[in-house]
Amino acid sequence: TDGRTLAAQPSRSRIGRPRALHRSVGGVCEGIRTGFVSEGHGGWHAGAMSAMRVLPMAEGRCGAAVALGVAPNARAGLGPRRRGRGTCGGAGRISHPPCPILVSGRRGASSSSHACAASKPWRENDARLVLENGSVFPGYSFGHTSSEVYLAEVVFNTSLTGYQEILTDPSYHGQMVCFTQPHIGNVGINEGDMECEKGCHLRGVVCRHLSETVSNYRSVETLDEYLKRQEVVGIAGVDTRQLTRQLRDTGSLVGVVCTDASKTDAELAEMASSWSILGKDLLKEVTCKEPYQWRDETEEEWEFQAIVGGGSDTVATSKAGDLKVVAYDFGIKSNILKRLSSRGCDVTVVPADYPWEEVMKMEPDGVFFSNGPGDPSAAPYAVDNAKNIIGKLPCFGICMGHQILGQAFGGTTFKLKFGHHGGNHPIKNTLTDAIEISAQNHNFAVDPATLPDSVQVTHVNLNDGTVAGMVSKELNVLTIQYHPEASPGPHDADVAFDQFVQMMKEGKGVLEPKIDLTGYGV
């Protein structure tokens, strides 16, 4: 749609702006129109309108709008542009009468049609993402760019919020995330939402639009500044819909983000095809070096237990330090530790390869196996530790921990086509007879055909029928293939922490499925 079409629209527009405001942008060049009306970028929100002045626009090419200083915050993050009548350097003059435009706090010096030659209200592409199959996605770089070439497996994440938690989730170590949410960076970076003290674990961020304006009371820096400090590359202006469709159809692919124009696409594709996550033990790259104590609970302002309720009555009777838990750190998130602590658990975190004999000497009430990155079959030491612990103590595993325990049961794992990454995955939970909407982040799954009869599949992913949870009543073990703490995501699965507490307090056999999974594909 162009400015004249917008001017003809009814007073209640699709973005809720008054008719006069739409008339005011009639005929403005496409770069400005996209940044102001179509995309809602760069601070052009209702609160900013009081700081704007409406000035007349002189006749001539619509490129004069640039000379008057329109859309100062729309200079980046707008993606590729289509040229046509009425755009900067366009094919003709504006055919309608002169119209007013919005100018941010100052008057332009000139309305000459030559003004647009000096600058453009968007950034030119200076980077590209090349996949191992040869596909090329152009964009513009942000964050850390001095290395020029960045290699990682590319996955897509469907979460609508929580990009900071995704950036700092150790389970993404060695990967590059394509965000299906098109607008990234609008709330900046804050100190409270870090999932790991070590900072960003992604090797790259791929997004459609990078917000030029940060609006959040907790923000301390922009996403661009944070990625620079963490030496992580970003590429924006990418057609993330097309990229996501390709990853969905062909499976996860290794990709290279490159800012060096001298390298050919063929060279980069060959570089990508030479690397694979299969067989990579990444747990030792993200785990802690020494055991440590964790006692911080979920902050009061973020505590949601009273809202979502619990799965048992044990939580209310658990006092701080009432239960001793040893947590294996395969890449554990801080909010998992906070949820355990909020249940009255005194948590000791140990490295991924910590000997099981040393764990038993601590005399814990239960053992937790955390989330983590990489191929679970590449960590046999973790499987051996789990084999020697299950049956002796109550155990709870999530994500990587679920896969490690699955192998300890005698099962095997396999790589999913494109993994599960996002906050909207439906799970059938037979322990509660409920459907949970879950937050997930993993590339591998447990093969149910390889599990012994003593292990029940109690949770199933309703999208693809893969195993999402297991229970062994005989060994007193619970596992789930998703994040009960969410962060980001819904809190439906928080009940799993209650069930772990119940297992530690009441012993074996307390978790009994209410229904079977006949008809659910498992």
Side-chain angles (χ1 to χ4, degrees), residues 158-161 304 308 420-430 432-442 459-463 468 480-496:
T158 58
S159 294
L160 296 179
T161 61
F304 51 84
V308 302
H420 298 157
H421 309 278
N424 56 355
H425 291 257
I427 300 295
K428 179 61 180 180
N429 183 346
T430 68
T432 59
D433 192 17
I435 302 294
E436 298 173 349
I437 304 303
S438 66
Q440 303 201 10
N441 175 23
H442 56 269
H459 304 64
V460 61
N461 188 306
L462 297 180
N463 283 340
I480 58 175
Q481 181 67 91
Y482 49 99
H483 285 268
E485 87 294 347
S487 301
H491 300 143
D492 300 28
D494 193 64
V495 64

mmCIF file of all heavy atoms in Angstrom, residues 158-161 304 308 420-430 432-442 459-463 468 480-496:
data_model
loop_
_atom_site.group_PDB
_atom_site.id
_atom_site.type_symbol
_atom_site.label_atom_id
_atom_site.label_comp_id
_atom_site.label_asym_id
_atom_site.label_seq_id
_atom_site.Cartn_x
_atom_site.Cartn_y
_atom_site.Cartn_z
ATOM 1 N N THR A 158 10.457 -20.579 18.075
ATOM 2 C CA THR A 158 9.143 -19.975 17.852
ATOM 3 C C THR A 158 8.627 -19.171 19.038
ATOM 4 O O THR A 158 7.467 -18.761 19.047
ATOM 5 C CB THR A 158 8.113 -21.073 17.519
ATOM 6 O OG1 THR A 158 8.074 -22.028 18.585
ATOM 7 C CG2 THR A 158 8.475 -21.785 16.219
ATOM 8 N N SER A 159 9.460 -18.943 20.050
ATOM 9 C CA SER A 159 9.016 -18.151 21.209
ATOM 10 C C SER A 159 8.747 -16.707 20.797
ATOM 11 O O SER A 159 9.491 -16.123 20.011
ATOM 12 C CB SER A 159 10.081 -18.183 22.309
ATOM 13 O OG SER A 159 10.240 -19.477 22.838
ATOM 14 N N LEU A 160 7.686 -16.138 21.355
ATOM 15 C CA LEU A 160 7.334 -14.758 21.046
ATOM 16 C C LEU A 160 8.048 -13.768 21.955
ATOM 17 O O LEU A 160 8.167 -12.594 21.628
ATOM 18 C CB LEU A 160 5.816 -14.563 21.170
ATOM 19 C CG LEU A 160 4.959 -15.372 20.191
ATOM 20 C CD1 LEU A 160 3.475 -15.111 20.448
ATOM 21 C CD2 LEU A 160 5.309 -15.031 18.753
ATOM 22 N N THR A 161 8.489 -14.230 23.123
ATOM 23 C CA THR A 161 9.186 -13.358 24.063
ATOM 24 C C THR A 161 10.401 -14.094 24.619
ATOM 25 O O THR A 161 10.574 -15.287 24.407
ATOM 26 C CB THR A 161 8.273 -12.956 25.239
ATOM 27 O OG1 THR A 161 7.881 -14.151 25.942
ATOM 28 C CG2 THR A 161 7.036 -12.226 24.768
ATOM 29 N N PHE A 304 5.068 -17.498 40.768
ATOM 30 C CA PHE A 304 3.754 -17.759 40.182
ATOM 31 C C PHE A 304 3.081 -18.994 40.775
ATOM 32 O O PHE A 304 2.037 -19.426 40.307
ATOM 33 C CB PHE A 304 3.878 -17.952 38.667
ATOM 34 C CG PHE A 304 4.932 -18.955 38.268
ATOM 35 C CD1 PHE A 304 4.659 -20.307 38.247
ATOM 36 C CD2 PHE A 304 6.217 -18.529 37.933
ATOM 37 C CE1 PHE A 304 5.637 -21.224 37.894
ATOM 38 C CE2 PHE A 304 7.194 -19.441 37.569
ATOM 39 C CZ PHE A 304 6.906 -20.801 37.551
ATOM 40 N N VAL A 308 -0.574 -20.789 39.500
ATOM 41 C CA VAL A 308 -0.729 -22.036 38.740
ATOM 42 C C VAL A 308 -1.055 -23.209 39.636
ATOM 43 O O VAL A 308 -1.521 -24.246 39.162
ATOM 44 C CB VAL A 308 0.540 -22.352 37.923
ATOM 45 C CG1 VAL A 308 0.849 -21.218 36.981
ATOM 46 C CG2 VAL A 308 1.739 -22.619 38.836
ATOM 47 N N HIS A 420 13.153 -29.370 18.625
ATOM 48 C CA HIS A 420 12.024 -28.677 19.247
ATOM 49 C C HIS A 420 12.579 -27.454 19.953
ATOM 50 O O HIS A 420 13.299 -27.575 20.944
ATOM 51 C CB HIS A 420 11.323 -29.580 20.263
ATOM 52 C CG HIS A 420 10.737 -30.824 19.687
ATOM 53 N ND1 HIS A 420 10.492 -31.957 20.443
ATOM 54 C CD2 HIS A 420 10.343 -31.127 18.421
ATOM 55 C CE1 HIS A 420 9.966 -32.903 19.670
ATOM 56 N NE2 HIS A 420 9.882 -32.421 18.440
ATOM 57 N N HIS A 421 12.234 -26.267 19.455
ATOM 58 C CA HIS A 421 12.761 -25.030 20.034
ATOM 59 C C HIS A 421 11.638 -23.998 20.063
ATOM 60 O O HIS A 421 11.243 -23.487 19.012
ATOM 61 C CB HIS A 421 13.932 -24.487 19.213
ATOM 62 C CG HIS A 421 15.006 -25.493 18.942
ATOM 63 N ND1 HIS A 421 15.993 -25.792 19.864
ATOM 64 C CD2 HIS A 421 15.244 -26.283 17.868
ATOM 65 C CE1 HIS A 421 16.795 -26.718 19.358
ATOM 66 N NE2 HIS A 421 16.355 -27.031 18.152
ATOM 67 N N GLY A 422 11.125 -23.699 21.253
ATOM 68 C CA GLY A 422 10.066 -22.705 21.346
ATOM 69 C C GLY A 422 9.238 -22.886 22.596
ATOM 70 O O GLY A 422 9.460 -23.799 23.394
ATOM 71 N N GLY A 423 8.240 -22.018 22.772
ATOM 72 C CA GLY A 423 7.431 -22.030 23.978
ATOM 73 C C GLY A 423 5.991 -22.421 23.762
ATOM 74 O O GLY A 423 5.125 -22.031 24.553
ATOM 75 N N ASN A 424 5.715 -23.206 22.699
ATOM 76 C CA ASN A 424 4.309 -23.514 22.384
ATOM 77 C C ASN A 424 4.095 -24.972 21.991
ATOM 78 O O ASN A 424 3.238 -25.277 21.155
ATOM 79 C CB ASN A 424 3.824 -22.604 21.255
ATOM 80 C CG ASN A 424 4.699 -22.700 20.017
ATOM 81 O OD1 ASN A 424 5.735 -23.377 20.016
ATOM 82 N ND2 ASN A 424 4.297 -22.025 18.951
ATOM 83 N N HIS A 425 4.846 -25.896 22.599
ATOM 84 C CA HIS A 425 4.742 -27.310 22.237
ATOM 85 C C HIS A 425 3.741 -28.023 23.152
ATOM 86 O O HIS A 425 3.928 -28.053 24.374
ATOM 87 C CB HIS A 425 6.115 -27.987 22.344
ATOM 88 C CG HIS A 425 7.082 -27.526 21.307
ATOM 89 N ND1 HIS A 425 7.391 -28.273 20.199
ATOM 90 C CD2 HIS A 425 7.800 -26.394 21.196
ATOM 91 C CE1 HIS A 425 8.267 -27.622 19.450
ATOM 92 N NE2 HIS A 425 8.531 -26.475 20.038
ATOM 93 N N PRO A 426 2.699 -28.641 22.595
ATOM 94 C CA PRO A 426 1.697 -29.322 23.424
ATOM 95 C C PRO A 426 2.159 -30.711 23.850
ATOM 96 O O PRO A 426 2.685 -31.482 23.060
ATOM 97 C CB PRO A 426 0.480 -29.411 22.489
ATOM 98 C CG PRO A 426 1.077 -29.470 21.115
ATOM 99 C CD PRO A 426 2.327 -28.628 21.157
ATOM 100 N N ILE A 427 1.940 -31.021 25.129
ATOM 101 C CA ILE A 427 2.346 -32.295 25.723
ATOM 102 C C ILE A 427 1.147 -32.941 26.411
ATOM 103 O O ILE A 427 0.414 -32.262 27.156
ATOM 104 C CB ILE A 427 3.463 -32.089 26.770
ATOM 105 C CG1 ILE A 427 4.697 -31.445 26.140
ATOM 106 C CG2 ILE A 427 3.822 -33.406 27.453
ATOM 107 C CD1 ILE A 427 5.393 -32.298 25.110
ATOM 108 N N LYS A 428 0.947 -34.227 26.180
ATOM 109 C CA LYS A 428 -0.033 -34.982 26.957
ATOM 110 C C LYS A 428 0.679 -35.603 28.146
ATOM 111 O O LYS A 428 1.606 -36.407 27.988
ATOM 112 C CB LYS A 428 -0.686 -36.076 26.118
ATOM 113 C CG LYS A 428 -1.716 -36.917 26.884
ATOM 114 C CD LYS A 428 -2.871 -36.064 27.405
ATOM 115 C CE LYS A 428 -3.895 -36.897 28.172
ATOM 116 N NZ LYS A 428 -5.009 -36.079 28.679
ATOM 117 N N ASN A 429 0.243 -35.218 29.354
ATOM 118 C CA ASN A 429 0.844 -35.694 30.598
ATOM 119 C C ASN A 429 -0.122 -36.684 31.245
ATOM 120 O O ASN A 429 -1.181 -36.286 31.746
ATOM 121 C CB ASN A 429 1.111 -34.508 31.530
ATOM 122 C CG ASN A 429 1.805 -34.905 32.821
ATOM 123 O OD1 ASN A 429 1.875 -36.076 33.170
ATOM 124 N ND2 ASN A 429 2.313 -33.914 33.541
ATOM 125 N N THR A 430 0.214 -37.970 31.248
ATOM 126 C CA THR A 430 -0.687 -38.975 31.805
ATOM 127 C C THR A 430 -0.686 -38.980 33.328
ATOM 128 O O THR A 430 -1.597 -39.531 33.942
ATOM 129 C CB THR A 430 -0.314 -40.384 31.310
ATOM 130 O OG1 THR A 430 0.945 -40.780 31.867
ATOM 131 C CG2 THR A 430 -0.230 -40.431 29.799
ATOM 132 N N THR A 432 -1.039 -36.359 35.197
ATOM 133 C CA THR A 432 -2.059 -35.398 35.618
ATOM 134 C C THR A 432 -3.288 -35.442 34.726
ATOM 135 O O THR A 432 -4.273 -34.758 35.017
ATOM 136 C CB THR A 432 -1.490 -33.967 35.584
ATOM 137 O OG1 THR A 432 -1.055 -33.661 34.244
ATOM 138 C CG2 THR A 432 -0.301 -33.834 36.525
ATOM 139 N N ASP A 433 -3.226 -36.230 33.634
ATOM 140 C CA ASP A 433 -4.298 -36.288 32.631
ATOM 141 C C ASP A 433 -4.603 -34.897 32.088
ATOM 142 O O ASP A 433 -5.763 -34.494 31.950
ATOM 143 C CB ASP A 433 -5.564 -36.928 33.211
ATOM 144 C CG ASP A 433 -6.589 -37.279 32.118
ATOM 145 O OD1 ASP A 433 -6.184 -37.320 30.928
ATOM 146 O OD2 ASP A 433 -7.770 -37.493 32.449
ATOM 147 N N ALA A 434 -3.554 -34.138 31.816
ATOM 148 C CA ALA A 434 -3.706 -32.770 31.327
ATOM 149 C C ALA A 434 -2.883 -32.568 30.058
ATOM 150 O O ALA A 434 -1.934 -33.313 29.785
ATOM 151 C CB ALA A 434 -3.267 -31.778 32.396
ATOM 152 N N ILE A 435 -3.253 -31.556 29.300
ATOM 153 C CA ILE A 435 -2.443 -31.093 28.183
ATOM 154 C C ILE A 435 -1.638 -29.897 28.667
ATOM 155 O O ILE A 435 -2.192 -28.927 29.175
ATOM 156 C CB ILE A 435 -3.310 -30.671 26.982
ATOM 157 C CG1 ILE A 435 -4.195 -31.818 26.514
ATOM 158 C CG2 ILE A 435 -2.417 -30.164 25.839
ATOM 159 C CD1 ILE A 435 -3.458 -32.997 25.947
ATOM 160 N N GLU A 436 -0.324 -29.993 28.552
ATOM 161 C CA GLU A 436 0.553 -28.906 28.958
ATOM 162 C C GLU A 436 1.132 -28.225 27.720
ATOM 163 O O GLU A 436 1.536 -28.899 26.778
ATOM 164 C CB GLU A 436 1.704 -29.436 29.822
ATOM 165 C CG GLU A 436 1.266 -30.084 31.119
ATOM 166 C CD GLU A 436 2.414 -30.733 31.864
ATOM 167 O OE1 GLU A 436 3.517 -30.879 31.289
ATOM 168 O OE2 GLU A 436 2.209 -31.115 33.032
ATOM 169 N N ILE A 437 1.150 -26.914 27.731
ATOM 170 C CA ILE A 437 1.882 -26.164 26.707
ATOM 171 C C ILE A 437 3.265 -25.903 27.287
ATOM 172 O O ILE A 437 3.403 -25.304 28.359
ATOM 173 C CB ILE A 437 1.176 -24.858 26.335
ATOM 174 C CG1 ILE A 437 -0.260 -25.138 25.883
ATOM 175 C CG2 ILE A 437 1.954 -24.134 25.230
ATOM 176 C CD1 ILE A 437 -0.369 -26.101 24.702
ATOM 177 N N SER A 438 4.272 -26.363 26.578
ATOM 178 C CA SER A 438 5.608 -26.415 27.174
ATOM 179 C C SER A 438 6.636 -25.609 26.401
ATOM 180 O O SER A 438 6.478 -25.326 25.212
ATOM 181 C CB SER A 438 6.083 -27.879 27.239
ATOM 182 O OG SER A 438 6.262 -28.403 25.933
ATOM 183 N N ALA A 439 7.721 -25.256 27.115
ATOM 184 C CA ALA A 439 8.897 -24.642 26.515
ATOM 185 C C ALA A 439 9.921 -25.743 26.254
ATOM 186 O O ALA A 439 10.226 -26.534 27.151
ATOM 187 C CB ALA A 439 9.486 -23.582 27.445
ATOM 188 N N GLN A 440 10.452 -25.796 25.037
ATOM 189 C CA GLN A 440 11.366 -26.878 24.681
ATOM 190 C C GLN A 440 12.592 -26.334 23.948
ATOM 191 O O GLN A 440 12.534 -25.302 23.286
ATOM 192 C CB GLN A 440 10.664 -27.915 23.797
ATOM 193 C CG GLN A 440 9.432 -28.511 24.439
ATOM 194 C CD GLN A 440 9.029 -29.851 23.837
ATOM 195 O OE1 GLN A 440 9.756 -30.458 23.056
ATOM 196 N NE2 GLN A 440 7.859 -30.328 24.223
ATOM 197 N N ASN A 441 13.690 -27.087 24.093
ATOM 198 C CA ASN A 441 14.921 -26.737 23.402
ATOM 199 C C ASN A 441 15.828 -27.964 23.369
ATOM 200 O O ASN A 441 16.616 -28.186 24.276
ATOM 201 C CB ASN A 441 15.625 -25.577 24.111
ATOM 202 C CG ASN A 441 16.976 -25.275 23.489
ATOM 203 O OD1 ASN A 441 17.227 -25.601 22.331
ATOM 204 N ND2 ASN A 441 17.865 -24.682 24.265
ATOM 205 N N HIS A 442 15.681 -28.784 22.338
ATOM 206 C CA HIS A 442 16.531 -29.965 22.202
ATOM 207 C C HIS A 442 16.528 -30.438 20.760
ATOM 208 O O HIS A 442 15.614 -30.138 19.986
ATOM 209 C CB HIS A 442 16.060 -31.096 23.132
ATOM 210 C CG HIS A 442 14.629 -31.495 22.921
ATOM 211 N ND1 HIS A 442 13.600 -30.917 23.606
ATOM 212 C CD2 HIS A 442 14.066 -32.400 22.095
ATOM 213 C CE1 HIS A 442 12.457 -31.447 23.232
ATOM 214 N NE2 HIS A 442 12.708 -32.352 22.300
ATOM 215 N N HIS A 459 4.619 -39.143 29.061
ATOM 216 C CA HIS A 459 4.387 -37.859 28.417
ATOM 217 C C HIS A 459 4.697 -38.017 26.921
ATOM 218 O O HIS A 459 5.688 -38.666 26.569
ATOM 219 C CB HIS A 459 5.302 -36.759 28.979
ATOM 220 C CG HIS A 459 5.216 -36.569 30.459
ATOM 221 N ND1 HIS A 459 5.580 -37.542 31.361
ATOM 222 C CD2 HIS A 459 4.830 -35.490 31.200
ATOM 223 C CE1 HIS A 459 5.421 -37.085 32.592
ATOM 224 N NE2 HIS A 459 4.971 -35.839 32.522
ATOM 225 N N VAL A 460 3.879 -37.414 26.076
ATOM 226 C CA VAL A 460 4.108 -37.513 24.636
ATOM 227 C C VAL A 460 3.926 -36.140 23.993
ATOM 228 O O VAL A 460 3.036 -35.367 24.374
ATOM 229 C CB VAL A 460 3.161 -38.552 23.984
ATOM 230 C CG1 VAL A 460 1.701 -38.164 24.161
ATOM 231 C CG2 VAL A 460 3.482 -38.743 22.513
ATOM 232 N N ASN A 461 4.801 -35.820 23.057
ATOM 233 C CA ASN A 461 4.696 -34.575 22.292
ATOM 234 C C ASN A 461 3.586 -34.735 21.261
ATOM 235 O O ASN A 461 3.643 -35.612 20.401
ATOM 236 C CB ASN A 461 6.036 -34.275 21.605
ATOM 237 C CG ASN A 461 6.064 -32.918 20.957
ATOM 238 O OD1 ASN A 461 5.212 -32.575 20.149
ATOM 239 N ND2 ASN A 461 7.067 -32.115 21.293
ATOM 240 N N LEU A 462 2.573 -33.891 21.339
ATOM 241 C CA LEU A 462 1.411 -34.031 20.465
ATOM 242 C C LEU A 462 1.663 -33.515 19.054
ATOM 243 O O LEU A 462 0.836 -33.733 18.168
ATOM 244 C CB LEU A 462 0.202 -33.320 21.085
ATOM 245 C CG LEU A 462 -0.283 -33.896 22.422
ATOM 246 C CD1 LEU A 462 -1.482 -33.113 22.944
ATOM 247 C CD2 LEU A 462 -0.628 -35.368 22.280
ATOM 248 N N ASN A 463 2.774 -32.841 18.830
ATOM 249 C CA ASN A 463 3.107 -32.397 17.475
ATOM 250 C C ASN A 463 3.632 -33.542 16.624
ATOM 251 O O ASN A 463 3.275 -33.669 15.444
ATOM 252 C CB ASN A 463 4.140 -31.275 17.514
ATOM 253 C CG ASN A 463 3.534 -29.942 17.896
ATOM 254 O OD1 ASN A 463 2.325 -29.741 17.777
ATOM 255 N ND2 ASN A 463 4.365 -29.024 18.369
ATOM 256 N N ALA A 468 8.100 -37.583 25.459
ATOM 257 C CA ALA A 468 8.328 -36.329 26.172
ATOM 258 C C ALA A 468 8.483 -36.529 27.666
ATOM 259 O O ALA A 468 8.712 -35.563 28.397
ATOM 260 C CB ALA A 468 7.178 -35.360 25.895
ATOM 261 N N ILE A 480 11.434 -35.663 31.962
ATOM 262 C CA ILE A 480 10.620 -34.968 30.954
ATOM 263 C C ILE A 480 11.543 -34.320 29.937
ATOM 264 O O ILE A 480 12.631 -33.864 30.266
ATOM 265 C CB ILE A 480 9.673 -33.918 31.569
ATOM 266 C CG1 ILE A 480 10.441 -32.872 32.377
ATOM 267 C CG2 ILE A 480 8.588 -34.584 32.402
ATOM 268 C CD1 ILE A 480 9.557 -31.752 32.885
ATOM 269 N N GLN A 481 11.085 -34.265 28.689
ATOM 270 C CA GLN A 481 11.892 -33.763 27.581
ATOM 271 C C GLN A 481 11.539 -32.305 27.286
ATOM 272 O O GLN A 481 11.344 -31.897 26.149
ATOM 273 C CB GLN A 481 11.667 -34.632 26.346
ATOM 274 C CG GLN A 481 12.457 -34.242 25.112
ATOM 275 C CD GLN A 481 13.949 -34.441 25.245
ATOM 276 O OE1 GLN A 481 14.466 -35.491 24.917
ATOM 277 N NE2 GLN A 481 14.641 -33.427 25.726
ATOM 278 N N TYR A 482 11.397 -31.498 28.330
ATOM 279 C CA TYR A 482 11.109 -30.072 28.127
ATOM 280 C C TYR A 482 11.404 -29.338 29.421
ATOM 281 O O TYR A 482 11.847 -29.945 30.404
ATOM 282 C CB TYR A 482 9.665 -29.841 27.665
ATOM 283 C CG TYR A 482 8.593 -30.542 28.458
ATOM 284 C CD1 TYR A 482 7.869 -29.878 29.434
ATOM 285 C CD2 TYR A 482 8.280 -31.880 28.203
ATOM 286 C CE1 TYR A 482 6.874 -30.511 30.157
ATOM 287 C CE2 TYR A 482 7.278 -32.527 28.910
ATOM 288 C CZ TYR A 482 6.584 -31.839 29.901
ATOM 289 O OH TYR A 482 5.606 -32.473 30.611
ATOM 290 N N HIS A 483 11.155 -28.032 29.430
ATOM 291 C CA HIS A 483 11.592 -27.185 30.537
ATOM 292 C C HIS A 483 10.426 -26.847 31.463
ATOM 293 O O HIS A 483 9.599 -25.997 31.133
ATOM 294 C CB HIS A 483 12.214 -25.886 30.001
ATOM 295 C CG HIS A 483 13.570 -26.061 29.427
ATOM 296 N ND1 HIS A 483 14.722 -25.898 30.168
ATOM 297 C CD2 HIS A 483 13.988 -26.410 28.183
ATOM 298 C CE1 HIS A 483 15.786 -26.130 29.409
ATOM 299 N NE2 HIS A 483 15.358 -26.447 28.198
ATOM 300 N N PRO A 484 10.370 -27.462 32.656
ATOM 301 C CA PRO A 484 9.275 -27.138 33.581
ATOM 302 C C PRO A 484 9.380 -25.721 34.152
ATOM 303 O O PRO A 484 8.386 -25.156 34.592
ATOM 304 C CB PRO A 484 9.424 -28.197 34.681
ATOM 305 C CG PRO A 484 10.865 -28.589 34.647
ATOM 306 C CD PRO A 484 11.261 -28.503 33.204
ATOM 307 N N GLU A 485 10.592 -25.162 34.161
ATOM 308 C CA GLU A 485 10.766 -23.792 34.657
ATOM 309 C C GLU A 485 10.434 -22.762 33.595
ATOM 310 O O GLU A 485 10.356 -21.559 33.887
ATOM 311 C CB GLU A 485 12.203 -23.593 35.145
ATOM 312 C CG GLU A 485 13.217 -23.174 34.107
ATOM 313 C CD GLU A 485 13.502 -24.224 33.030
ATOM 314 O OE1 GLU A 485 13.114 -25.388 33.198
ATOM 315 O OE2 GLU A 485 14.127 -23.875 32.005
ATOM 316 N N ALA A 486 10.259 -23.217 32.334
ATOM 317 C CA ALA A 486 9.994 -22.342 31.177
ATOM 318 C C ALA A 486 11.156 -21.381 30.977
ATOM 319 O O ALA A 486 12.247 -21.788 30.639
ATOM 320 C CB ALA A 486 8.671 -21.616 31.341
ATOM 321 N N SER A 487 10.921 -20.094 31.188
ATOM 322 C CA SER A 487 11.986 -19.069 31.095
ATOM 323 C C SER A 487 12.717 -19.062 29.756
ATOM 324 O O SER A 487 13.891 -19.410 29.700
ATOM 325 C CB SER A 487 12.999 -19.245 32.239
ATOM 326 O OG SER A 487 12.367 -19.146 33.472
ATOM 327 N N PRO A 488 12.106 -18.646 28.675
ATOM 328 C CA PRO A 488 10.745 -18.122 28.628
ATOM 329 C C PRO A 488 9.733 -19.213 28.280
ATOM 330 O O PRO A 488 10.106 -20.251 27.734
ATOM 331 C CB PRO A 488 10.834 -17.109 27.480
ATOM 332 C CG PRO A 488 11.788 -17.756 26.523
ATOM 333 C CD PRO A 488 12.808 -18.461 27.383
ATOM 334 N N GLY A 489 8.478 -18.947 28.585
ATOM 335 C CA GLY A 489 7.435 -19.891 28.211
ATOM 336 C C GLY A 489 6.364 -20.025 29.266
ATOM 337 O O GLY A 489 6.435 -19.405 30.337
ATOM 338 N N PRO A 490 5.356 -20.861 29.005
ATOM 339 C CA PRO A 490 4.245 -21.053 29.943
ATOM 340 C C PRO A 490 4.667 -21.883 31.151
ATOM 341 O O PRO A 490 5.652 -22.606 31.113
ATOM 342 C CB PRO A 490 3.206 -21.800 29.093
ATOM 343 C CG PRO A 490 4.018 -22.515 28.066
ATOM 344 C CD PRO A 490 5.185 -21.626 27.756
ATOM 345 N N HIS A 491 3.880 -21.801 32.222
ATOM 346 C CA HIS A 491 4.212 -22.450 33.484
ATOM 347 C C HIS A 491 3.437 -23.736 33.721
ATOM 348 O O HIS A 491 3.403 -24.235 34.854
ATOM 349 C CB HIS A 491 3.966 -21.474 34.638
ATOM 350 C CG HIS A 491 4.780 -20.232 34.568
ATOM 351 N ND1 HIS A 491 4.316 -18.992 34.950
ATOM 352 C CD2 HIS A 491 6.051 -20.028 34.129
ATOM 353 C CE1 HIS A 491 5.254 -18.077 34.767
ATOM 354 N NE2 HIS A 491 6.323 -18.675 34.266
ATOM 355 N N ASP A 492 2.826 -24.291 32.685
ATOM 356 C CA ASP A 492 2.005 -25.490 32.845
ATOM 357 C C ASP A 492 2.772 -26.646 33.486
ATOM 358 O O ASP A 492 2.214 -27.422 34.265
ATOM 359 C CB ASP A 492 1.483 -25.966 31.479
ATOM 360 C CG ASP A 492 0.638 -24.931 30.769
ATOM 361 O OD1 ASP A 492 0.847 -23.732 31.006
ATOM 362 O OD2 ASP A 492 -0.228 -25.322 29.958
ATOM 363 N N ALA A 493 4.044 -26.793 33.137
ATOM 364 C CA ALA A 493 4.824 -27.967 33.560
ATOM 365 C C ALA A 493 5.529 -27.780 34.894
ATOM 366 O O ALA A 493 6.265 -28.663 35.323
ATOM 367 C CB ALA A 493 5.848 -28.313 32.480
ATOM 368 N N ASP A 494 5.294 -26.675 35.582
ATOM 369 C CA ASP A 494 5.948 -26.443 36.866
ATOM 370 C C ASP A 494 5.601 -27.522 37.884
ATOM 371 O O ASP A 494 6.329 -27.733 38.864
ATOM 372 C CB ASP A 494 5.550 -25.062 37.403
ATOM 373 C CG ASP A 494 6.404 -24.601 38.561
ATOM 374 O OD1 ASP A 494 7.619 -24.402 38.357
ATOM 375 O OD2 ASP A 494 5.868 -24.458 39.675
ATOM 376 N N VAL A 495 4.509 -28.232 37.642
ATOM 377 C CA VAL A 495 4.074 -29.311 38.526
ATOM 378 C C VAL A 495 5.132 -30.406 38.653
ATOM 379 O O VAL A 495 5.160 -31.134 39.651
ATOM 380 C CB VAL A 495 2.736 -29.903 38.019
ATOM 381 C CG1 VAL A 495 2.913 -30.554 36.661
ATOM 382 C CG2 VAL A 495 2.164 -30.914 39.004
ATOM 383 N N ALA A 496 6.013 -30.536 37.665
ATOM 384 C CA ALA A 496 7.041 -31.585 37.709
ATOM 385 C C ALA A 496 7.963 -31.416 38.915
ATOM 386 O O ALA A 496 8.443 -32.414 39.470
ATOM 387 C CB ALA A 496 7.850 -31.584 36.420
#
